Amino acid sequence: MAAAKDLSAAGLSVVALEARDRIGGRIYTIHDPSLPVPVELGAEFVHGKSPELFEIIKESHLPFSEVTERHWHFENGELSKSYDFWSKVDQLMEHMKSVPVDCSFKSYLDSLPDDVETKRAKAVAMLYVEGFHAARIDRIGVHGLIKANEAAEQIDGDQSFRLLKGYAGVCDWLHQQAESRGAIFQLNTVVTELKWERDRVEAICGSHQSTARFKARRALITLPLGVLQAADGQPGAVRFSPELPREKREAVHALEMGQVVRVVLHFKYRFWEGLDMPGTGDEEDLSQLGFIHYAEAPVPTWWTMLPEKAPVLVGWMGGPAAEQFSSRDQDSIIAGAIESLMRIFGVTKEYLRGRLRASFMHNWQADQFTRGGYGYVPVNALNAQIALSRPVDNTLFFAGEATSVGHIGTVHGAIQSGARAAKEVMSAEVIGRALTP
């Protein structure tokens, strides 16, 4: 949508083909009048202050609030305030910059001492990388993590924000801007094959009851990495005819799609405020509970809506935790969420079920139009991101969070990539017109 906005503003004819019945992709906001806050089943947090994203927020007058950084962490069945040793984790990440040869994050952790404090830092760092980056620590490379950390530092990535009316507001604004300049959005239009040759493409699509074809001089491909990796015949797969060049295919498969499942539980009231949790002590006020991590629970990470006082808890599974739920149905996933809260709060299933008003979830790895949460960079794969982003014969162009070096896995990375690809398309158009007799 970011690319469609820029391309249509430049006077080009733009048709955006969307497989779903809605815009937004991995931004998926539900507005339920019975709920006090929007339900985010996809992107929720604005990470840092990227100029591209904050310009949209400013232009569209979207209200936002800063997210609390109060992180609590379970150790040996009791709650400890993990922010007491975040400095140790920061030191661990800082020391990672000195690693000369790329290796997996697991190998890096294994190379560190095993004193008590370092062990604690390693445990939290592992939970962070698996959760935040949705990655397997034996696959994600330290050089990719270093690049992500450096990119985050440039935009004050230690701060996070939440859009109070929902992330869909960003999509709505981009959509409106593009349509006002003539862009056309075709929903329920599943691209099954993309035929191409230099300066000519044809998208063969299936809709609910018919087949459609769209022709153009150039195509901008923003398919999620998981869809690009899908083999012919798998749900959501897109065939390229002829197939993409070898360099492009190798880049697609060199990167990794992290797995994500998230659960949103709406309760009748903020029941946790009245509980006495092991390890909190009398001085702690559970009304200020922000993030809570319990590595051994089926759903290991939870957070509240602070600073909004909503009776909502969000459960997050990333990486290996999400992979364990890949084939489970919604009832099974919700049951795993309830089991996790039983462990965290020391209450019974009946206690939680009796206070539960509504539940929502989305299994992104089971979504055929995404096939995962977002990308991450394995060992020695930084160059694959660059290769994936390069145009093919000034005809096929590529964007999406997986192509954004340093900002992989983020909304602002996707927006940046869309702006970059739009410039590439416009440059190709100028060259093409100059060469036309």
Side-chain angles (χ1 to χ4, degrees):
M1 288 188 290
K5 175 182 74 71
D6 291 352
L7 291 170
S8 57
L12 298 183
S13 175
V14 177
V15 178
L17 306 179
E18 170 56 58
R20 295 183 172 90
D21 60 359
R22 60 177 179 83
I23 60 170
R26 283 168 279 177
I27 292 178
Y28 186 13
T29 306
I30 295 177
H31 291 283
D32 188 322
S34 68
L35 300 176
V37 293
V39 172
E40 301 286 14
L41 293 180
E44 178 175 348
F45 300 114
V46 176
H47 298 290
K49 299 177 180 177
S50 75
E52 296 84 358
L53 187 47
F54 264 82
E55 180 181 344
I56 295 172
I57 292 171
K58 180 180 178 181
E59 290 289 330
S60 55
H61 305 290
L62 292 174
F64 63 92
S65 64
E66 187 168 357
V67 176
T68 179
E69 286 302 314
R70 289 172 61 91
H71 287 258
W72 288 355
H73 180 74
F74 268 89
E75 289 183 297
N76 301 319
E78 288 196 350
L79 198 62
S80 67
K81 298 176 284 294
S82 64
Y83 49 78
D84 286 347
F85 53 94
W86 272 119
S87 59
K88 185 73 172 177
V89 177
D90 289 340
Q91 291 173 18
L92 185 151
M93 290 292 188
E94 185 67 24
H95 179 265
M96 188 171 65
K97 294 179 181 179
S98 64
V99 176
V101 179
D102 202 7
C103 65
S104 71
F105 189 64
K106 182 180 185 302
S107 295
Y108 168 65
L109 292 181
D110 289 345
S111 72
L112 299 177
D114 273 335
D115 60 272
V116 174
E117 281 302 303
T118 304
K119 276 186 174 181
R120 296 179 77 200
K122 287 197 287 187
V124 175
M126 183 173 69
L127 187 64
Y128 165 74
V129 169
E130 288 183 342
F132 185 82
H133 291 279
R136 299 185 64 92
I137 63 169
D138 60 344
R139 291 281 294 147
I140 191 168
V142 297
H143 284 184
L145 283 171
I146 291 168
K147 186 69 70 174
N149 291 341
E150 290 174 346
E153 288 173 5
Q154 294 174 4
I155 59 169
D156 297 326
D158 57 337
Q159 290 181 285
S160 294
F161 307 89
R162 183 182 286 113
L163 297 172
L164 299 181
K165 293 184 178 180
Y167 229 131
V170 171
C171 300
D172 293 340
W173 187 83
L174 288 171
H175 184 215
Q176 184 275 327
Q177 291 293 309
E179 280 199 328
S180 69
R181 291 167 172 81
I184 298 171
F185 286 77
Q186 297 277 353
L187 303 183
N188 296 309
T189 303
V190 181
V191 177
T192 57
E193 184 177 4
L194 194 67
K195 295 184 176 181
W196 67 280
E197 59 184 75
R198 189 174 180 88
D199 297 327
R200 184 178 300 175
V201 292
E202 181 180 19
I204 300 174
C205 311
S207 59
H208 283 320
Q209 297 180 346
S210 62
T211 299
R213 296 172 182 259
F214 296 85
K215 296 181 180 181
R217 290 186 300 275
R218 318 194 194 282
L220 172 54
I221 297 150
T222 62
L223 294 169
L225 180 63
V227 175
L228 287 173
Q229 292 174 337
D232 282 351
Q234 290 185 319
V238 177
R239 178 185 298 108
F240 288 84
S241 302
E243 66 180 359
L244 294 172
R246 179 178 177 180
E247 179 193 40
K248 188 70 67 178
R249 301 196 311 271
E250 290 178 347
V252 166
H253 292 285
L255 298 170
E256 200 77 43
M257 189 65 161
Q259 303 304 327
V260 170
V261 178
R262 59 181 294 154
V263 177
V264 180
L265 301 182
H266 176 212
F267 293 92
K268 296 175 182 178
Y269 60 94
R270 291 163 55 86
F271 68 86
W272 53 91
E273 294 184 4
L275 300 179
D276 181 17
M277 296 175 63
T280 57
D282 295 336
E283 75 280 2
E284 290 295 346
D285 180 2
L286 289 184
S287 67
Q288 298 304 307
L289 179 63
F291 291 79
I292 191 165
H293 307 278
Y294 196 138
E296 293 76 23
V299 183
T301 298
W302 292 84
W303 59 81
T304 68
M305 293 290 103
L306 279 183
E308 298 297 309
K309 295 284 191 175
V312 172
L313 291 172
V314 179
W316 175 269
M317 291 166 279
E323 291 171 11
Q324 296 177 16
F325 281 80
S326 61
S327 60
R328 299 194 188 183
D329 60 19
Q330 179 167 336
D331 289 343
S332 177
I333 293 173
I334 297 299
I338 294 295
E339 179 187 342
S340 302
L341 293 182
M342 289 167 57
R343 294 193 198 182
I344 290 170
F345 293 119
V347 296
T348 65
K349 178 171 65 175
E350 291 72 25
Y351 179 95
L352 292 169
R353 291 285 187 183
R355 288 157 179 77
L356 183 63
R357 178 166 287 171
S359 61
F360 307 83
M361 62 79 59
H362 196 81
N363 185 347
W364 287 98
Q365 56 199 330
D367 185 327
Q368 67 173 332
F369 300 130
T370 306
R371 302 180 66 89
Y374 41 80
Y376 67 87
V377 182
V379 179
N380 295 323
L382 271 175
N383 287 336
Q385 276 196 281
I386 299 171
L388 178 59
S389 68
R390 291 193 188 110
V392 175
D393 283 348
N394 269 350
T395 302
L396 302 181
F397 299 81
F398 294 81
E401 50 85 14
T403 69
S404 184
V405 176
H407 297 291
I408 189 170
T410 67
V411 172
H412 61 264
I415 292 172
Q416 287 176 7
S417 76
R420 181 261 307 155
K423 290 178 181 178
E424 293 171 346
V425 171
M426 287 185 276
S427 177
E429 281 291 287
V430 170
I431 294 172
R433 289 169 184 168
L435 295 177
T436 301

